Amino acid sequence: MKPTRPGPLLIVALVGAVALFGVETLLLRLGEPLLTPPVTLGVTLLMLGVIIPALAWPIRQSTRDQSERQAANNRLVNPFYATRVVVLAKAGALTGAILAGAGVGVVVFLLGRIVVVWGHVVLAGVTVLGGVVLLVGSLLAERWCQIPPSNDDTAHEGEPA
C-alpha cells in the first residue's frame, strides 16, 4: 500500500470547501437556514485524531527496531491488525481533509456576509480544527504502520541477500 500523498488530500479539501460554499450560497438564495456544523462534529474529529495514532502506536513499537525485538523473542503485531489500522488511517486522512475543507468553505462563506454571526463561525472553526487534527493524526498513524526496509530489500539484483 502506498502512502497517502498530499496532492489528492488537497484536492479533496478543495472539493469540500467549494461544495459547502456552494451549498451555503444556494440555501441563502432559497431563503432556507444555513448549515452550521454542530460542536459535536468537531469534538468527534478531534477524538478520532487522537485515537487513530493510539491504535498505531503498538505497530510503531514493533516495527521500529525489528532485529532487537526478534532477538528478544517479543511478540510481533498481528498483520491483520496492522492492515486494519493502516486502512483506518487512510480513511481518516481523507475524511479529515474533506471535513476540514468543508469547514473552511463554511467559514469563508460566513465571513463574507455583511452581518457575521460569530457563534456559527466558531462552530465551523472547531470543525476545521478537528478535521486538521484527524488528517495529521491519520497521516502520522499511516507513517507508523510502514515497515522499515530489511536487508533483503536493499540487496541489489544479482547479489546474494
Side-chain angles (χ1 to χ4, degrees):
M1 184 177 280
K2 294 182 181 178
T4 305
R5 296 185 175 257
L9 292 175
L10 289 174
I11 291 171
V12 166
L14 184 64
V15 166
V18 170
L20 256 291
F21 187 87
V23 166
E24 294 284 20
T25 304
L26 180 65
L27 288 173
L28 182 70
R29 290 180 188 228
L30 293 175
E32 297 293 325
L34 299 177
L35 291 176
T36 304
V39 71
T40 54
L41 175 62
V43 171
T44 303
L45 294 176
L46 285 167
M47 289 173 47
L48 285 173
V50 172
I51 290 171
I52 292 175
L55 291 173
W57 184 255
I59 300 167
R60 179 183 186 269
Q61 293 298 86
S62 175
T63 60
R64 190 164 53 164
D65 195 22
Q66 278 185 331
S67 59
E68 285 183 22
R69 298 234 178 243
Q70 288 175 353
N73 288 330
N74 286 347
R75 202 173 115 198
L76 295 177
V77 169
N78 182 351
F80 294 111
Y81 174 77
T83 303
R84 289 181 190 117
V85 170
V86 78
V87 169
L88 179 64
K90 273 192 155 322
L94 290 170
T95 302
I98 196 162
L99 290 176
V104 167
V106 172
V107 167
V108 168
F109 177 81
L110 291 173
L111 291 177
R113 301 293 101 209
I114 295 173
V115 177
V116 178
V117 181
W118 290 104
H120 294 280
V121 173
V122 169
L123 290 175
V126 170
T127 300
V128 172
L129 178 67
V132 169
V133 169
L134 177 59
L135 174 64
V136 170
S138 295
L139 290 176
L140 182 66
E142 188 178 327
R143 183 179 173 104
W144 286 350
C145 289
Q146 290 178 350
I147 298 174
S150 65
N151 293 337
D152 297 337
D153 295 339
T154 59
H156 296 293
E157 207 172 291
E159 291 183 12

